[in-house]
Amino acid sequence: MEFLSMGSTDGLYNAAVKHPVFWFNDGSIVLHVENQAFKVHRTLLSRHSRFFAETDPSANMNDRYDLSLDSYISVDQSRNVRARDVEVLLEHLYHDASLLSEDEIPRLAAALRVSSPKQLDFPSIHALTMKRLISVIPTKYSPGFLPDDPEEALELATEYELPLMRKALYYHFVTSPSSYFDAISYHTQSLGDSPPLSEADSDTVKHEAANQPRRPLSQTDAKLCAQLMERIIEHFTPVLFTPATTPHMACTNVFADTWMSLVIQPAIEDNGVYKPLETLERIKSIDWADAGLCAACVKEKNEEWTQEQQHIWNTMDTWLGLETGQMIPVSM
């Protein structure tokens, strides 16, 4: 690991590490971000970035210390640029990893941040990344959609107005044991009617809190999560606690006889009342034919439960105010 001494006009010096990949001997500019130094090609950056096209490297020349370079730019900390984000950007510019085929949310988020006008201002890359990010956000509920840092992802989705991503993340915070603990217990004084965590969820919360501390949500987002939970419970409680019916009396009797043991009790044990999409999926997975339903009723009910999942997912737009672009009111 090779270090450089980067000077500053006030006489202070900061240690910068040469980036192991993006330090080209024929580079014409050193870009200093956090503790990383990137020696890259100024013409490439200036062609795509208004920031580099408009920044005069000579203004930074007095900051140089023991460097023989054409130009040197130290990115002001007020831009909040991260070295890791710059690395993702350069991987795209130098064709090491194109954003056109990227499907990892953290990398797309990094590219979106660093290419924004508030940071290094790469308009075409920012637009490309936004388009790609929108394409990988599920239009219907997808349990596999979860960024490594959902709190940070929510901030990103809010800043760049990505309503589908916000909805997926709010639902995650409501239904995830650890997020429920962080988002609501930390910021909401009382949730009155909100259900207590099941023993299994409680153990998960304690384990994750001890092994992977998470940033709590903002008070506004926490209250939105609480309000979303209330709306979910209000809507889903009668669905969950009312035995299903069918046109066949015999099949309706099967539901009446088994609904408590096969549906309600497992949902109570798993806090399924505020996890409607997962609970409905579990109900669909039950072997209802083995319980006594005819094939026609099994098919009909599975279709109804799938429609109910989609109805809840779509109705969340209204509950969160995403139809008009305005979030539901929050009483502070």
Side-chain angles (χ1 to χ4, degrees):
M1 185 178 294
E2 190 171 355
F3 292 86
L4 298 172
S5 291
M6 296 294 187
S8 61
T9 55
D10 59 6
L12 299 177
Y13 295 89
N14 299 308
V17 181
K18 286 184 177 181
H19 193 274
V21 176
F22 297 107
W23 184 271
F24 301 106
N25 291 332
D26 63 345
S28 57
I29 186 173
V30 162
L31 176 63
H32 184 194
V33 180
E34 295 182 320
N35 70 332
Q36 287 282 334
F38 305 85
K39 188 177 181 182
V40 289
H41 302 90
R42 184 187 175 195
T43 53
L44 175 64
L45 300 183
S46 299
R47 189 177 5 166
H48 297 281
S49 165
R50 285 191 286 249
F51 170 79
F52 287 102
E54 297 171 1
T55 298
D56 180 8
S58 64
N60 289 270
M61 295 303 280
N62 290 333
D63 293 351
R64 289 170 45 193
Y65 179 77
D66 195 26
L67 289 172
S68 178
L69 302 166
D70 293 333
S71 37
Y72 160 57
I73 294 178
S74 180
V75 178
D76 193 285
Q77 291 183 355
S78 65
R79 287 184 173 268
N80 298 315
V81 178
R82 307 176 188 179
R84 174 56 186 150
D85 292 359
V86 172
E87 182 178 319
V88 172
L89 177 69
L90 293 176
E91 285 173 349
H92 174 75
L93 283 171
Y94 284 95
H95 307 292
D96 291 346
S98 173
L99 294 169
L100 288 170
S101 58
E102 184 60 67
D103 58 7
E104 293 186 13
I105 299 294
R107 289 179 55 81
L108 289 170
L112 193 66
R113 277 192 301 267
V114 74
S115 64
S116 69
K118 294 180 180 179
Q119 294 198 7
L120 299 186
D121 200 2
F122 284 75
S124 60
I125 294 178
H126 189 70
L128 179 153
T129 305
M130 179 73 78
K131 183 177 180 180
R132 181 60 186 169
L133 182 58
I134 291 173
S135 74
V136 302
I137 297 172
T139 56
K140 60 182 180 179
Y141 171 66
S142 174
F145 175 77
L146 182 61
D148 292 337
D149 188 339
E151 292 87 354
E152 181 181 59
L154 180 57
E155 293 177 1
L156 186 85
T158 301
E159 180 176 358
Y160 295 106
E161 300 180 353
L162 302 171
L164 282 176
M165 188 171 178
R166 293 175 77 185
K167 178 166 69 169
L169 289 166
Y170 280 127
Y171 186 80
H172 160 74
F173 289 125
V174 167
T175 60
S176 171
S178 59
S179 296
Y180 171 90
F181 178 81
D182 290 343
I184 299 175
S185 294
Y186 282 2
H187 282 305
T188 305
Q189 296 297 319
S190 173
L191 282 180
D193 297 332
S194 296
L197 288 175
S198 67
E199 183 177 349
D201 278 356
S202 180
D203 289 342
T204 301
V205 166
K206 292 175 182 176
H207 174 77
E208 294 192 8
N211 292 278
Q212 189 178 5
R214 298 272 292 278
R215 293 186 292 119
L217 294 177
S218 69
Q219 188 177 38
T220 297
D221 285 332
K223 286 183 177 291
L224 281 170
C225 286
Q227 291 180 203
L228 176 59
M229 176 182 283
E230 291 173 2
R231 283 159 172 77
I232 286 175
I233 293 172
E234 180 181 4
H235 172 85
F236 190 56
T237 295
V239 175
L240 176 62
F241 287 92
T242 303
T245 61
T246 76
H248 299 157
M249 182 57 68
C251 291
T252 296
N253 289 338
V254 170
F255 280 133
D257 294 339
T258 62
W259 198 257
M260 174 60 74
S261 60
L262 295 182
V263 175
I264 296 177
Q265 190 59 42
I268 291 174
E269 294 172 356
D270 189 42
N271 289 318
V273 70
Y274 66 85
K275 303 174 183 177
L277 305 181
E278 294 85 347
T279 299
L280 286 165
E281 195 64 31
R282 189 188 60 76
I283 293 173
K284 286 159 53 178
S285 72
I286 295 172
D287 189 346
W288 289 108
D290 184 65
L293 257 66
C294 70
C297 286
V298 170
K299 181 176 183 296
E300 177 186 296
K301 300 313 292 186
N302 279 333
E303 290 175 352
E304 286 184 13
W305 291 323
T306 297
Q307 290 172 3
E308 178 63 20
Q309 286 177 303
Q310 193 61 50
H311 171 68
I312 291 172
W313 183 250
N314 292 339
T315 305
M316 282 175 58
D317 291 349
T318 300
W319 293 336
L320 290 169
L322 297 178
E323 291 179 319
T324 61
Q326 298 297 318
M327 302 303 290
I328 54 179
V330 177
S331 54
M332 301 300 289

